[in-house]
Amino acid sequence: MATIAAGCDHGGFSLKTLLIEHLTESGHDVLDLGTYTNERVDYPDFAETVAKSVASGEASFGLLVCGSGIGVCMVANKIAGIRAATIHDVTSAHLSREHNDANIICLGERLIGPEVAKEALDIFLESEFQEGRHLQRVEKINKIL
């Protein structure tokens, strides 16, 4: 099982809470890096913290949730070594890992239902990077500053 760093803003608090419970029940270790209420906060603060946790190796993967999943993804991808992907379904979860070696899953609480989110998160964590023709592309991504 993996260590997952989880974070959200107020718009993703309910889904993050549900997904942390799901991850814990599945045997994963979770670092809950906030926010801890549904009071208004700024998503960049939490997305940066989660991304740095993954980039440093403290966590194997990251989970970020906001209203759309887009804002937290944009922030996370500013951190070197991060390949965050906004996920809407099982297919995008699967492909983000197999083709892009994504290490942070970003979800939008306003756009994805809880059951689809759980299934997509499970697939994201179970899928492995295929390397092959995709390795060269990921290496190019990693070189961009």
Side-chain angles (χ1 to χ4, degrees):
M1 293 292 127
T3 299
I4 315 298
C8 67
D9 68 356
H10 57 284
F13 176 71
S14 295
L15 184 58
K16 181 198 76 164
T17 302
L18 178 113
L19 293 174
I20 285 175
E21 181 179 312
H22 176 71
L23 288 167
T24 302
E25 289 172 357
S26 299
H28 296 284
D29 293 322
V30 179
L31 304 172
D32 186 351
L33 302 177
T35 190
Y36 306 108
T37 71
N38 59 6
E39 292 182 29
R40 188 197 166 286
V41 294
D42 295 326
Y43 64 83
D45 301 330
F46 302 95
E48 179 182 11
T49 301
V50 167
K52 286 182 175 178
S53 178
V54 174
S56 73
E58 178 183 23
S60 305
F61 295 100
L63 163 65
L64 287 168
V65 188
C66 66
S68 68
I70 297 167
V72 291
C73 188
M74 292 171 74
V75 173
N77 279 317
K78 293 186 69 72
I79 305 301
I82 296 303
R83 290 171 308 283
T86 301
I87 300 302
H88 300 288
D89 53 31
V90 171
T91 301
S92 56
H94 168 73
L95 292 173
S96 73
R97 288 285 304 127
E98 288 194 355
H99 291 194
N100 310 110
D101 199 20
N103 50 16
I104 296 182
I105 184 172
C106 302
L107 301 168
E109 183 172 319
R110 295 180 192 131
L111 303 177
I112 191 169
E115 294 307 312
V116 174
K118 285 193 274 187
E119 189 177 1
L121 179 57
D122 289 344
I123 293 296
F124 181 87
L125 295 173
E126 293 167 8
S127 297
E128 294 186 20
F129 181 47
Q130 290 182 344
E131 296 189 6
R133 71 183 194 275
H134 307 291
L135 181 60
Q136 176 182 339
R137 297 168 188 151
V138 171
E139 287 173 346
K140 286 182 176 187
I141 293 169
N142 289 337
K143 290 179 184 176
I144 298 171
L145 298 177

